[in-house]
């Protein structure tokens, strides 16, 4: 006899495990089907967490080798123990994924290890991974699809996770490559490019468009590129890779201007392909169950996260919206609250985006380009960290804060930060915007001194052209 649940979640990433826990809190009997042995999905196993562990370790290494002496600290015979650095990262990941097992036990969520297949309304089949054993059928009042995303392949540059790697391979290179070519000047390329540059690789980023981090504010993108160039990263913008040839001593990439033109070659020991991710819906039974996908392969849902098949919901990277862990979590909480008859809601205009390089880049709301496109009248206030006393004390003065506010109402429409700890600072802007703050509201809020956040207050004052410290 098959088990019956209120909710079966397929996928144990930030969308799936958070949705499962919230549903259990709401009193549902919940099961979660995940094909990996560990919970946490892409984010914990091969995304957010291992990349941040390496970013942090490599930042210490860079500090020890460079800035430390400016602070009167000299280090003799600095040595990199890459194996230990990777080992620490694996331990962080292992501890956190085990933590989710603990949360599942606490919330009495039944865990199935295997490949989940939607069999139609109210039924999921769990197939053991590797094909051994027969599928088990479980019944559910509702099904929540949270199967996430996978690496977008680049034709002609086949990933082998040794010489040509995806982010997964780039998180466990056994030695520092002399030359690393990064295809894609987006979030992964710049975060993992930064890690390996700090550890000693010569990094070249090849970007198809004529700017890096194209979704960010244009002024931030330009400043960010300048800072990264100063750190030693090379950029080839407006360039497309047309092929890759692997040899014993590395990979030769052929490329040409994106608009067409003379072919060029670039040799690298390792090539990282990071041109985006695509929704993961393989062997999920969606066609058979009649679930509609859009032209980009994402599952189509309404504002209540319902697919076109009754009782089947979807959340996270597999539906529209930014492919971010916190967005996936918000989706999942809202979806299960709606299932429980509550009023779950996500404001997609207020999903912050952070790039955890040094300096960090963080944004929420609209960019200047978007406001111009939408013909919105706005005022901009900008404040450089060079004029912030805490940034001067730490020596981390690169970057600025920009606050964009509606010209008439003064309501904050977007905040963009490039600078140390931008990711932590953006939370203040998100909270303010969630409550519909004006620039004046932020400007009149008391900020502790000396803190980097004072730059947000100063940029808000700048909207009315009355910053104090510039
Ligand atoms: P996933 O985390 O992809 O989880 C889906 C899970 O479903 C997987 O574990 C998969 O094994 C499982 N699954 C799939 N199909 C089936 C099936 N049929 N049956 C059973 N199980 C199945 N986001 C941030 O917000 N901040 C960051 O710093 C950040 N860093 C990143 C760094 C890297 C290198 C990468 C690759 C991504 C990063 N992301 C980051 C993005 C983040 O990882 C994703 O947005 C997030 O994991 C999406 O969550 P999800 O639950 O929708 O999907
Ligand atoms: P991305 O979308 O951030 O960047 C991809 C870049 O590749 C873009 O600049 C794009 O113009 C470029 N590109 C596309 N096709 C190309 C081609 N053929 N040749 C050269 N350049 C090409 O995608 P990325 O970096 O792969 O990351 C995937 C997703 O993972 C991100 O969009 C984000 O959602 C998530 N992520 C989030 C992180 C964070 O929040 N800190 C960290 C890492 C990943």
């Amino acid at each position: 006899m098959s088990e019956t649940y209120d909710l079966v979640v397929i996928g144990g990433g930030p969308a799936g495990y958070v949705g499962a826990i919230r549903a259990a809190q709401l009193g549902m009997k919940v099961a979660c089907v995940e094909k990996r042995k560990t919970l946490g999905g892409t984010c914990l196993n091969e995304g957010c967490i291992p990349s941040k562990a390496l970013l942090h370790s490599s930042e210490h290494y860079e500090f020890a080798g460079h800035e430390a002496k400016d602070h009167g600290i000299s280090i003799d015979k600095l040595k990199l123990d890459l194996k230990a650095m990777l080992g620490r990262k694996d331990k962080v990941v292992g501890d956190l994924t085990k933590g989710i097992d603990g949360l599942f036990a606490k919330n009495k969520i039944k865990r199935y290890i295997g490949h989940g297949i939607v069999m139609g309304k109210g039924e999921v089949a769990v197939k053991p991974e590797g094909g051994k054993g027969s599928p088990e059928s479980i019944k559910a009042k509702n099904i929540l699809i949270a199967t996430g995303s996978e690496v977008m392949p680049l034709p002609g540059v086949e990933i082998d996770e040794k010489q040509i790697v995806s982010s997964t391979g780039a998180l466990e290179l056994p030695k520092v490559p002399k030359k690393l070519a990064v295809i894609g000047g987006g979030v992964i390329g710049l975060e993992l490019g930064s890690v390996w540059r700090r550890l000693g690789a010569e990094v070249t980023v090849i970007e198809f468009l004529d700017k890096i981090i194209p979704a960010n504010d244009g002024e931030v993108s330009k400043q960010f590129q300048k800072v990264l160039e100063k750190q030693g990263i090379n950029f080839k913008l407006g360039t497309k890779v047309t092929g890759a040839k692997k040899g014993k001593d590395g990979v030769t990439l052929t490329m040409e201007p994106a608009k067409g033109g003379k072919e060029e070659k670039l040799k690298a020991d390792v090539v990282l392909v990071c041109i985006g991710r695509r929704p993961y819906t393989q062997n999920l039974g969606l066609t058979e169950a009649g679930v509609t996908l859009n032209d980009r392969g994402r599952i189509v849902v309404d504002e209540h996260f319902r697919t076109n098949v009754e009782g089947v919901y979807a959340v996270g990277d597999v539906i529209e919206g930014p492919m971010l862990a916190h967005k996936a979590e918000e989706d999942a909480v809202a979806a299960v609250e709606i299932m429980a008859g509550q009023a779950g809601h996500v404001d997609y205009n207020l999903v912050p985006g952070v790039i955890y390089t040094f300096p960090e880049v963080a944004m929420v709301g609209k960019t200047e380009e978007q406001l111009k496109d939408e013909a919105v009248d706005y005022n901009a206030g900008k404040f450089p960290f060079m004029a912030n006393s805490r940034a001067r004390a730490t020596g981390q003065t690169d970057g600025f804060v920009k606050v964009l506010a509606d010209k008439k109402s003064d309501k904050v429409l977007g905040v963009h930060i490039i600078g140390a700890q931008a990711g932590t600072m953006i939370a203040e802007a998100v909270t303010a915007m969630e409550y519909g703050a004006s620039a004046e509201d932020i400007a009149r809020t008391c900020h502790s001194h000396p803190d980097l956040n004072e730059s947000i207050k100063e940029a808000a004052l700048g909207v009315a052209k009355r910053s104090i410290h510039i």
Side-chain angles (χ1 to χ4, degrees):
M1 252 253 306
S2 60
E3 277 284 351
T4 303
Y5 297 90
D6 294 313
L7 177 67
V8 171
V9 181
I10 308 180
Y17 87 75
V18 170
I21 292 172
R22 182 71 189 119
Q25 286 176 344
L26 290 165
M28 294 182 211
K29 184 180 171 191
V30 185
C32 178
V33 185
E34 165 58 60
K35 61 195 178 106
R36 285 176 213 255
K37 290 200 174 68
T38 50
L39 291 165
T42 305
C43 180
L44 262 75
N45 289 285
E46 53 190 34
C48 326
I49 301 305
S51 60
K52 266 80 252 177
L54 288 185
L55 276 158
H56 192 70
S57 299
S58 61
E59 205 174 310
H60 281 312
Y61 180 68
E62 173 139 287
F63 178 82
H66 295 89
E67 291 92 344
K69 62 178 181 305
D70 299 339
H71 294 258
I73 304 164
S74 62
I75 298 162
D76 264 354
K77 298 196 186 101
L78 178 69
K79 196 170 155 258
L80 173 68
D81 183 346
L82 182 60
K83 209 170 150 204
M85 196 180 276
L86 296 177
R88 177 190 174 277
K89 170 213 46 151
D90 293 339
K91 177 161 183 343
V92 171
V93 169
D95 289 349
L96 282 171
T97 56
K98 273 189 224 115
I100 304 176
D101 288 328
L103 293 174
F104 268 30
K106 181 182 156 201
N107 287 284
K108 301 190 174 47
I109 297 164
K110 169 80 179 167
R111 167 83 201 280
Y112 287 87
I113 301 179
H115 191 102
I117 300 167
V118 180
M119 302 304 287
K121 185 174 178 290
E123 190 182 350
V124 171
V126 184
K127 229 167 98 185
E129 277 294 279
K132 281 189 199 135
S134 46
E136 185 178 347
S137 162
I138 45 180
K139 298 262 191 290
K141 209 152 106 193
N142 288 313
I143 297 168
L144 182 65
I145 303 173
T147 50
S149 61
E150 61 174 350
V151 174
M152 178 98 74
L154 178 60
V157 190
E158 305 320 325
I159 290 168
D160 60 15
E161 298 296 12
K162 285 193 169 63
Q163 284 179 295
I164 302 182
V165 298
S166 70
S167 51
T168 306
L171 290 166
E172 49 195 26
L173 296 179
K175 65 176 194 187
V176 179
K178 276 203 180 73
K179 290 188 181 197
L180 173 70
V182 175
I183 309 179
V187 195
I188 292 180
L190 301 177
E191 284 190 355
L192 295 181
S194 288
V195 166
W196 293 105
R197 200 257 330 133
R198 291 169 189 167
L199 300 181
E202 185 188 322
V203 175
T204 304
V205 174
I206 305 151
E207 166 60 49
F208 185 80
L209 299 177
D210 56 9
K211 60 176 191 172
I212 59 168
I213 51 165
N216 282 68
D217 190 87
E219 198 179 1
V220 171
S221 157
K222 265 195 209 129
Q223 170 92 2
F224 190 37
Q225 188 184 335
K226 268 193 210 148
V227 176
L228 294 177
E229 277 170 343
K230 210 165 71 185
Q231 293 173 2
I233 294 187
N234 308 304
F235 288 97
K236 283 197 158 292
L237 303 185
T239 303
K240 71 173 173 218
V241 172
T242 50
K245 199 160 170 235
K246 283 192 275 185
K248 269 197 200 117
D249 57 345
V251 184
T252 305
L253 291 178
T254 45
M255 43 196 194
E256 60 184 42
K259 293 178 188 129
K262 202 165 158 257
E263 188 179 274
E264 228 187 304
K265 287 193 184 344
L266 180 83
K267 209 159 168 201
D269 306 284
V270 175
V271 173
L272 164 60
V273 180
C274 45
I275 58 163
R277 293 177 63 83
R278 63 183 182 190
Y280 184 78
T281 53
Q282 274 172 41
N283 307 321
L284 195 56
L286 296 187
T287 314
E288 297 77 358
V291 175
T292 307
L293 305 182
N294 70 13
D295 56 356
R296 301 198 305 150
R298 300 215 194 189
I299 297 177
V300 177
V301 292
D302 65 10
E303 68 282 10
H304 289 158
F305 304 94
R306 289 181 300 214
T307 69
N308 59 315
V309 175
E310 203 195 327
V312 180
Y313 295 70
V315 287
D317 279 11
V318 82
I319 66 167
E320 269 306 320
M323 288 184 166
L324 295 172
H326 42 283
K327 177 267 185 188
E329 292 182 16
E330 295 295 323
D331 279 355
V333 168
V336 298
E337 287 182 348
I338 288 167
M339 286 176 209
Q342 299 188 356
H345 173 72
V346 184
D347 184 344
Y348 291 104
N349 188 42
L350 294 185
V351 175
V354 180
I355 308 173
Y356 295 90
T357 43
F358 192 87
E360 293 181 350
V361 172
M363 67 170 282
V364 60
K366 305 276 185 183
T367 63
E368 280 206 59
E369 289 74 15
Q370 283 171 326
L371 293 177
K372 281 179 189 147
D373 280 353
E374 293 166 19
V376 175
D377 266 348
Y378 67 93
N379 285 322
K382 209 174 127 186
F383 190 80
F385 284 108
M386 188 57 105
N388 173 281
S389 52
R390 183 65 179 275
R392 293 293 278 263
T394 60
Q396 298 175 326
T397 51
D398 277 331
F400 58 82
V401 177
K402 179 156 76 175
V403 173
L404 305 172
D406 186 87
K407 203 168 215 157
K408 232 184 183 168
S409 67
D410 196 37
K411 186 174 175 186
V412 178
L413 303 174
V415 176
H416 302 272
I417 310 176
I418 170 167
Q421 296 179 44
T424 304
M425 277 194 280
I426 201 73
E428 173 186 347
V430 181
T431 308
M433 288 172 72
E434 185 72 47
Y435 286 92
S438 62
E440 179 81 12
D441 288 328
I442 299 179
R444 290 200 178 271
T445 302
C446 186
H447 286 65
S448 49
H449 176 78
D451 255 325
L452 296 175
N453 298 58
E454 287 177 284
S455 301
I456 299 187
K457 175 182 170 134
E458 288 275 9
L461 281 164
V463 167
K465 309 230 172 324
R466 55 189 180 92
S467 299
I468 302 285
H469 291 92
I470 38 167

